[in-house]
Amino acid sequence: MRQTCSALITVGVLLAVVLMMPTRAQGQTEGEKLDLQANKRSISKWRDMRFGMFIHWGPVSLKGTEIGWSRGRQVPEEEYDQLYKRFNPVKFDADEWVQIAKDAGMKYLVITSKHHDGFCIWPSKYTDYDIGNTPFKRDILKELSNACKRHGLSFCTYHSICDWYHPDYPLGSPGGKSEKANPNMPRYYEYLKNQTREILKNYGPLGIMWFDGEWEQPWTREYGNELYAYLRGIQPSLIINNRVSKGRRGMAGTTEGANLNAGDYDTPEQRIGKFQNERPWETCMTICRQWAWKPNDEMKSLKQCIQTLVRVVGGDGNFLFNVGPMPDGRIEPRQVERLREMGAWLEKYGKTIYARRGGPFKPGPWGASTHWCNIIYVHVLNWPGETLRLPPISKEIRMSEVMTGGTVSVKQSEEGIEISVPEADRDEIDTIVVLRVMGPASEIPPCSLPSESLAAGKKAKASNVFQKNSHYGPAMALDDDDATRWATDSGTHEAWLEVDLGKAGTFDQVKINEAYGRVRKFELQYESGGEWVTFHEGRRIGERFSVKFKPVTARR
């Protein structure tokens, strides 16, 4: 968790992403270096798109449980593996899906060609466990690929490296925890190469081939880097994410050793990535809680959806937003309605999102910014008070206006920028203030104001740290970065975080950011005479929890 104070302590639980420019594995030939130009153009075009649709779908929709992960858990393997015999999504309409994506303002579409459960949604000549052997029989990839061409969207596929169904892949369900009787990883690797080549040849050119499942031990850096080069040799313009190799660092999506591990961009999952304008990145996130369709799943509000999109693009990333279609082939109507509401917002304000770069003001609790030419779009998502204070910039502000309507007062000095909008003119979701500056906004170095937290940068310790990994250590709760967090091991039901302010300080409010809304009960305590005294108790925390109380003076 993370803490901030003026007379305030803020505690937050979010994740970090370190992102850099597209990097290939070492040892490229001269020909491969030339191919980088096609790759570079593709990445530039893709970054301008900013918003895409992710689709997780397959026979598991008949059960309403999670794709892949529920095999051998909620659904016995024997039952799960026979679901395809009943899979008959007669209301599937590829043009309808693509039109929904267009209506949402999305520019590309990524569909699960094969998830960890091994089922293929195209008729592959390398397996019988595919759509061709269902009652439906139609080639979903072909229909979607053609529909994307007709409607002008970039068609992309997700493909799992691991395969808990295939006998040659060494690990099985549940969740890669079991071992196969007679695995043959080299033979499985050829199967993987054959299938991915088949997809490129039959349904390409693709915008992206989005890999997943690389974390399991049978997969190696050598396999990943070779597969990357192999597929780029078939389609030089192909974009491939960092999950093809072994550099991804957890769900934060950061690429460790980018010079050694193939992959063109980073992939933070179910969280907003950290500001990074060098290496491309893309947040993937679900519109509900589950990737595959689940009846009555909790859906994000329009405010959550828009503000997430703004924060992602303000951090210079892309946003891949997931829907899980129903077993009859339709995208759930309430999800369609939410997506179209996003599209309506983008119809008005998309000029602040598409083909815009993040910054120069780094995202913070207040919101985010994007820029283009000499224009800075300041997206104020949470007003901190009467006035928003931003750090100073080297360019003079020549004009200001409120794109969302109303009036604005902007004061610029060597100390910083003050922006005020009357409360009546503030938009509930996003107040967009436009600043025109002298000269290109891209020349302004990315900047942010330090928080007023008493706890920022202070020493901390915790009862448990996820896999003893320093990237999730207690210091990450207090580093003044919303994109990092303290995390505990899976299965932990009780934990504590202790902050040492260095000397006694007085505070009267606490703010906490929790990434996943899992906390069911918590206490806030201070140390007095060697004893811990509780000064606040609560149940749920969630995002941007805040509480005020009588002043407390303490060091820990």
Side-chain angles (χ1 to χ4, degrees):
M1 296 197 190
R2 101 186 233 115
Q3 309 197 338
T4 304
C5 304
S6 46
L8 150 78
I9 290 188
T10 305
V11 185
V13 186
L14 290 170
L15 273 133
V17 181
V18 179
L19 317 150
M20 301 164 315
M21 234 5 225
T23 308
R24 276 294 313 278
Q26 292 178 336
Q28 301 168 119
T29 66
E30 197 61 39
E32 285 176 309
K33 289 179 181 178
L34 293 175
D35 285 348
L36 285 177
Q37 295 306 310
N39 185 239
K40 198 171 182 179
R41 288 192 295 271
S42 296
I43 290 172
S44 178
K45 184 178 178 180
W46 166 70
R47 289 180 102 175
D48 283 349
M49 295 177 184
R50 288 306 188 197
F51 192 28
M53 175 180 278
F54 213 0
I55 302 172
H56 279 63
W57 194 44
V60 71
S61 60
L62 291 163
K63 301 297 292 185
T65 57
E66 189 60 282
I67 190 167
W69 294 97
S70 64
R71 181 179 185 262
R73 285 194 173 120
Q74 296 95 323
V75 185
E77 283 186 37
E78 299 77 13
E79 180 184 359
Y80 192 107
D81 295 346
Q82 298 302 311
L83 290 173
Y84 77 103
K85 294 180 179 179
R86 298 192 285 119
F87 189 52
N88 192 20
V90 293
K91 294 186 178 179
F92 167 70
D93 184 328
D95 285 293
E96 184 178 81
W97 281 18
V98 175
Q99 187 61 54
I100 290 167
K102 279 190 74 172
D103 291 347
M106 293 159 161
K107 306 297 184 182
Y108 59 106
L109 183 149
V110 183
I111 176 75
T112 49
S113 53
K114 178 179 80 78
H115 205 267
H116 313 327
D117 59 12
F119 179 78
C120 302
I121 66 165
W122 82 100
S124 174
K125 68 180 182 180
Y126 299 103
T127 183
D128 293 329
Y129 192 44
D130 63 21
I131 196 69
N133 289 297
T134 67
F136 190 60
K137 298 189 183 300
R138 286 160 47 189
D139 187 342
I140 291 169
L141 286 192
K142 177 63 72 177
E143 293 185 31
L144 273 175
S145 174
N146 290 340
C148 282
K149 288 183 176 73
R150 285 192 292 272
H151 293 273
L153 265 67
S154 176
F155 179 65
C156 315
T157 59
Y158 162 113
H159 204 82
S160 175
I161 285 169
C162 69
D163 192 323
W164 299 327
Y165 174 88
H166 198 286
D168 285 337
Y169 185 77
L171 302 178
S173 297
K177 301 297 184 185
S178 63
E179 296 182 3
K180 306 277 178 61
N182 298 294
N184 188 323
M185 190 62 189
R187 191 164 61 196
Y188 174 75
Y189 177 60
E190 289 305 310
Y191 171 75
L192 184 63
K193 284 178 67 176
N194 287 336
Q195 284 206 319
T196 49
R197 181 186 66 242
E198 186 178 42
I199 290 171
L200 283 178
K201 293 288 189 180
N202 294 347
Y203 310 108
L206 300 185
I208 297 167
M209 188 165 276
W210 209 105
F211 283 102
D212 196 12
E214 87 296 349
W215 67 85
E216 295 194 327
Q217 201 58 46
W219 194 247
T220 65
R221 177 185 295 165
E222 290 71 26
Y223 276 139
N225 290 358
E226 199 280 334
L227 182 61
Y228 177 96
Y230 174 72
L231 296 173
R232 284 282 313 285
I234 297 170
Q235 185 190 316
S237 63
L238 183 66
I239 302 170
I240 301 176
N241 66 349
N242 66 340
R243 301 189 188 193
V244 70
S245 192
K246 297 293 281 190
R248 177 169 66 118
R249 184 187 293 152
M251 295 303 178
T254 305
T255 300
E256 193 172 61
N259 61 320
L260 301 174
N261 293 282
D264 300 314
Y265 68 92
D266 294 340
T267 52
E269 181 172 326
Q270 293 286 43
R271 68 208 60 182
I272 298 167
K274 181 181 179 180
F275 180 90
Q276 175 63 38
N277 61 1
E278 295 176 3
R279 181 173 171 91
W281 60 277
E282 173 192 65
T283 279
C284 59
M285 187 178 290
T286 52
I287 194 170
C288 293
R289 295 182 70 86
Q290 189 168 278
W291 291 99
W293 179 74
K294 176 183 178 181
N296 303 312
D297 202 0
E298 181 183 341
M299 188 171 69
K300 292 177 175 63
S301 67
L302 177 62
K303 183 175 183 178
Q304 286 176 298
C305 294
I306 295 297
Q307 291 195 351
T308 299
L309 172 63
V310 168
R311 289 185 183 279
V312 168
V313 179
D316 211 32
N318 281 31
F319 187 33
L320 186 59
F321 206 28
N322 182 80
V323 297
M326 299 186 295
D328 66 3
R330 293 177 300 144
I331 298 173
E332 193 174 14
R334 66 186 180 121
Q335 295 184 20
V336 174
E337 182 181 359
R338 178 69 75 246
L339 292 174
R340 286 181 173 149
E341 288 173 339
M342 294 184 75
W345 186 89
L346 283 163
E347 190 71 30
K348 292 180 181 179
Y349 307 118
K351 66 186 296 184
T352 72
I353 299 295
Y354 302 122
R356 303 301 181 246
R357 299 299 302 268
F361 306 113
K362 293 181 180 180
W366 58 273
S369 69
T370 58
H371 69 268
W372 174 74
C373 292
N374 68 328
I375 300 173
I376 301 171
Y377 301 101
V378 180
H379 295 261
V380 189
L381 309 179
N382 296 289
W383 286 90
E386 293 298 315
T387 301
L388 170 65
R389 290 186 63 246
L390 294 173
I393 58 175
S394 56
K395 304 286 185 182
E396 180 186 354
I397 298 171
R398 301 302 300 272
M399 186 279 289
S400 61
E401 63 177 330
V402 185
M403 181 182 286
T404 45
T407 60
V408 61
S409 168
V410 176
K411 297 178 181 178
Q412 184 179 23
S413 68
E414 292 183 358
E415 286 71 42
I417 299 165
E418 294 184 357
I419 299 176
S420 300
V421 171
E423 192 168 344
D425 293 339
R426 296 177 185 178
D427 188 88
E428 182 182 356
I429 294 177
D430 181 5
T431 306
I432 305 174
V433 177
V434 181
L435 306 177
R436 292 184 184 270
V437 299
M438 285 287 289
S442 60
E443 294 178 355
I444 303 171
C447 54
S448 61
L449 285 175
S451 74
E452 298 175 332
S453 173
L454 292 179
K458 297 300 192 296
K459 293 181 180 179
K461 56 185 179 181
S463 58
N464 182 280
V465 172
F466 177 70
Q467 296 182 353
K468 297 181 181 179
N469 188 330
S470 62
H471 297 292
Y472 299 105
M476 297 297 102
L478 311 169
D479 61 356
D480 233 1
D481 188 344
D482 272 355
T484 63
R485 69 181 179 106
W486 163 54
T488 61
D489 285 320
S490 177
T492 301
H493 296 290
E494 184 173 303
W496 53 259
L497 173 75
E498 179 184 323
V499 183
D500 185 347
L501 300 178
K503 62 180 181 179
T506 300
F507 50 92
D508 62 1
Q509 56 181 308
V510 169
K511 293 183 177 181
I512 308 177
N513 245 346
E514 185 199 1
Y516 293 109
R518 292 169 175 161
V519 170
R520 294 297 175 264
K521 187 178 181 181
F522 69 97
E523 295 179 42
L524 302 177
Q525 302 175 330
Y526 67 92
E527 187 188 45
S528 177
E531 300 290 330
W532 288 99
V533 180
T534 297
F535 61 89
H536 181 79
E537 294 183 68
R539 294 198 173 274
R540 298 300 182 94
I541 297 178
E543 292 186 8
R544 309 199 183 281
F545 168 84
S546 179
V547 63
K548 290 192 175 185
F549 38 79
K550 292 181 180 179
V552 171
T553 301
R555 172 176 170 173
R556 294 181 179 85

